[in-house]
Amino acid sequence: MLTVILFVAVVFVVLGSLLNEWLSQKGWVPENSIFSQQWEYLDLPRFFQILLTAGMFIWIVIVWRTLSSRLKTGKKTSMPWLFLFSGLAIPMFYAVGMLAGQRTHFSVAEFWRFWVVHLWVEDFLELFTTVMVAYIFVLLGVVRERIAISIIMMDAVLYSAGGVVGTMHHTYFAGTPSEQMAFGAFFSAAEVIPLTFLTVEAWGFMQLGARQYSNRTKPFPHRWAVMFLIAVGFWNFLGAGVFGFLINLPIVSYFEIGTALTANHAHGSMMGVYGMLALAFAVFALRYLIPENKWPEKGVKFSFWALNIGLIWMVFISLLPLGVAQLYHSVGQGYYEARSLAYIQSDANLIMDWLRMPGDVIFLAGILPLIKLAWLGITSYFAPKNKETVLELPEPPLYEMVDDARIAEFAGAKAADELPEQTSPYRSDRRG
C-alpha cells in the first residue's frame, strides 16, 4: 500500500510542479506564497518541495520495513544498515534546501541552495550509489563484503571530511575566497575515488568469473546487470570526476560556468552514473520476472554497448570540443561574447552540434531493446503460467569456491605447491 501511495505521490509532485512552474512563468502564481519559491536548480515550489521530502521519507519507511528482519540481527556497520543510513541521508539533506527562503540574503541562500545541489546530489546520492553498487556486487558474489564495507566507509569519511568544503566550488559568485574554491575543487573531484576502486575490483572479478564459466553451458544470469554497474563506475570517474574537475578550478570556473563544458560534465555524470545505475537495477530485477527462455540476452547486450557508445560519442565528439572552443573564446573575447547567440550559432559551433547526431542515433537505438525488456517484464509478471519457470531461474554465484589445484590452473602454475603464499580468487587478496 505504501508503494502505491509513493508512486501516486511522485506522479503528483512531478506533474504538479511542472504545471506550477509554467503558471509561474505566466505570472499567475502569487508572489511570496508557498507555490512560488523556485530558486535556480531548486525549481520546485516550496509546496511541492515539502511533498517530495515527505515522499522520500515514505520510501525510507518502505526500505526499513523490508530490511527490518536483517537490521535486528546485523551490526550497525553491516550492509543492510549502511543501505538504510545512506538512504535516510537523501531526504534529510534534501530538506536542508528549505532553509533558503524567498527573503533570505543571497550569500546565505547560495550556501543552502548549493548544499542541495552539491552535498545532496554529488555527495549523498553518490554515497547511496556506492552503497547500492556494493550491495549488488556482494549479493552476486562479485566483491567480498569486507572489501565493499571498507570502500563504503572510505566514501563516508571522504564526504564527512570534505563534503562541505567541496561545496564551495559552486559559490564563486557569492564571494567565496579562492582558497576555499581550490579546496572545494579538490574534494569535489576526490569523491569519485571509492566507487572507482570498487569498479576496478569488480572488473577483475568479472574476468576471473568469465574463466570459471567458460566451460558451462549456461552463462552467468546477471552479467549485464553487473556490466551496467561497472559502467556506473566508469562514468563516475570520467563524467563526474575528470570532466567535473576540469570545470571546478577557480580560474576555469570564472570563464566557463554555464558553457558547453558544464553540459559535458552534466551529461556524462547524470546519464553515465544515475542513468546506468537505474538501468542496472532494472536489468537485475527484470531477470527475475522474465523466464529464462524469453530473456533477450542479445538485446540487452546491444543496449548496453549502444547507450555507452552513444554517450561517449556525444561528450567527446560534440560537447567537449564545443566547451573547449567556448572557453578559449571566453578567455580571449570575454564571457559575454562566448555566451552570445551570435557565437553559439556560428558555423563552427553548428558543425560540432550536428556531429553529435550519429551518437544520438546510436543512443536512441539502444533504448529500443530496453522498451522490449520492460514489456516482457510486465507481460511475464501478469502471466500465471510463467511463474514456476521464473522461480527456476539459475542463480549460481559468479565465483565458486575452488580447491588449490583449480586455483593453480587459473594462476598458470603446474601444481598447487607452486602457488605464491595467500593466493586467492579475490583480486583484493592477490599480491602484485
Side-chain angles (χ1 to χ4, degrees), residues 228 235 271 276 279 302-312 362-367 370:
F228 273 112
W235 284 107
M271 179 60 210
M276 296 298 172
L279 292 175
F302 173 81
S303 180
F304 171 81
W305 289 113
L307 291 175
N308 281 279
I309 291 173
L311 190 56
I312 289 174
I362 296 173
F363 188 91
L364 291 173
I367 296 175
L370 295 176

Side-chain angles (χ1 to χ4, degrees), residues 13 41 45 73 91 96 107 125 158 216-217 228 231 241 288 300 304 312 327 333 350 381 383 389 409 412 416 426:
V13 168
Y41 301 123
T73 58
V96 171
S107 59
L125 278 181
L158 183 61
R216 297 192 179 185
T217 57
F228 273 112
Y288 290 96
V300 179
F304 171 81
I312 289 174
L327 175 62
Q333 305 298 324
L350 289 177
Y381 179 78
T389 307
E409 179 184 344
Y426 290 94

Side-chain angles (χ1 to χ4, degrees), residues 338-360:
R339 295 261 293 174
S340 66
L341 191 61
Y343 173 77
I344 292 175
Q345 292 186 343
S346 63
D347 292 340
N349 283 344
L350 289 177
I351 291 174
M352 284 187 282
D353 273 337
W354 280 100
L355 281 176
R356 66 176 283 180
M357 180 62 72
D360 290 348

Side-chain angles (χ1 to χ4, degrees), residues 54-114:
M56 288 190 287
F57 275 112
I58 293 175
W59 168 64
I60 290 299
V61 172
I62 295 173
V63 172
W64 176 79
R65 291 178 60 183
T66 305
L67 297 175
S68 57
S69 60
R70 296 288 305 277
L71 297 176
K72 293 177 182 178
T73 58
K75 297 180 180 179
K76 294 297 188 293
T77 55
S78 63
M79 293 297 296
W81 276 104
L82 293 175
F83 177 26
L84 181 65
F85 289 148
S86 64
L88 185 60
I90 293 177
M92 290 180 63
F93 280 87
Y94 181 80
V96 171
M98 289 188 281
L99 293 174
Q102 296 180 17
R103 299 184 180 275
T104 306
H105 190 275
F106 176 75
S107 59
V108 177
E110 282 288 277
F111 179 82
W112 293 119
R113 184 166 68 93
F114 279 107

Side-chain angles (χ1 to χ4, degrees), residues 72-341:
K72 293 177 182 178
T73 58
K75 297 180 180 179
K76 294 297 188 293
T77 55
S78 63
M79 293 297 296
W81 276 104
L82 293 175
F83 177 26
L84 181 65
F85 289 148
S86 64
L88 185 60
I90 293 177
M92 290 180 63
F93 280 87
Y94 181 80
V96 171
M98 289 188 281
L99 293 174
Q102 296 180 17
R103 299 184 180 275
T104 306
H105 190 275
F106 176 75
S107 59
V108 177
E110 282 288 277
F111 179 82
W112 293 119
R113 184 166 68 93
F114 279 107
W115 185 290
V116 175
V117 174
H118 175 90
L119 205 60
W120 185 66
V121 174
E122 298 183 28
D123 281 0
F124 289 100
L125 278 181
E126 191 83 24
L127 176 61
F128 179 75
T129 299
T130 303
V131 172
M132 288 306 303
V133 171
Y135 210 146
I136 298 297
F137 280 165
V138 170
L139 290 176
L140 297 179
V142 178
V143 172
R144 274 187 174 181
E145 185 174 3
R146 175 176 60 84
I147 298 299
I149 292 177
S150 299
I151 289 176
I152 292 171
M153 292 301 181
M154 178 183 175
D155 230 4
V157 170
L158 183 61
Y159 296 152
S160 299
V164 176
V165 179
T167 307
M168 293 299 102
H169 80 266
H170 284 288
T171 53
Y172 192 100
F173 296 102
T176 302
S178 58
E179 293 84 359
Q180 292 191 27
M181 285 286 294
F183 279 113
F186 170 77
F187 280 108
S188 179
E191 294 161 9
V192 306
I193 294 174
L195 186 56
T196 303
F197 286 162
L198 191 65
T199 304
V200 172
E201 181 81 5
W203 178 252
F205 282 154
M206 284 293 291
Q207 301 307 302
L208 180 60
R211 298 182 66 177
Q212 290 191 8
Y213 266 76
S214 60
N215 297 325
R216 297 192 179 185
T217 57
K218 293 184 178 180
F220 177 58
H222 293 296
R223 169 178 171 78
W224 293 108
V226 174
M227 289 298 291
F228 273 112
L229 291 175
I230 290 176
V232 170
F234 170 79
W235 284 107
N236 190 65
F237 173 76
L238 179 63
V242 176
F243 292 157
F245 191 72
L246 285 177
I247 65 175
N248 286 346
L249 299 176
I251 189 63
V252 179
S253 182
Y254 179 79
F255 285 101
E256 77 75 37
I257 187 169
T259 65
L261 279 179
T262 301
N264 181 60
H265 163 58
H267 283 72
S269 55
M270 182 63 185
M271 179 60 210
V273 178
Y274 299 115
M276 296 298 172
L277 181 67
L279 292 175
F281 291 159
V283 172
F284 178 79
L286 289 170
R287 192 67 179 88
Y288 290 96
L289 289 177
I290 301 174
E292 186 179 1
N293 59 346
K294 292 186 177 181
W295 179 256
E297 182 74 12
K298 293 182 179 179
V300 179
K301 177 181 179 180
F302 173 81
S303 180
F304 171 81
W305 289 113
L307 291 175
N308 281 279
I309 291 173
L311 190 56
I312 289 174
W313 184 290
M314 178 178 66
V315 297
F316 281 105
I317 303 300
S318 179
L319 292 179
L320 184 59
L322 272 172
V324 172
Q326 195 172 13
L327 175 62
Y328 180 82
H329 193 77
S330 177
V331 174
Q333 305 298 324
Y335 181 73
Y336 177 84
E337 289 295 327
R339 295 261 293 174
S340 66
L341 191 61

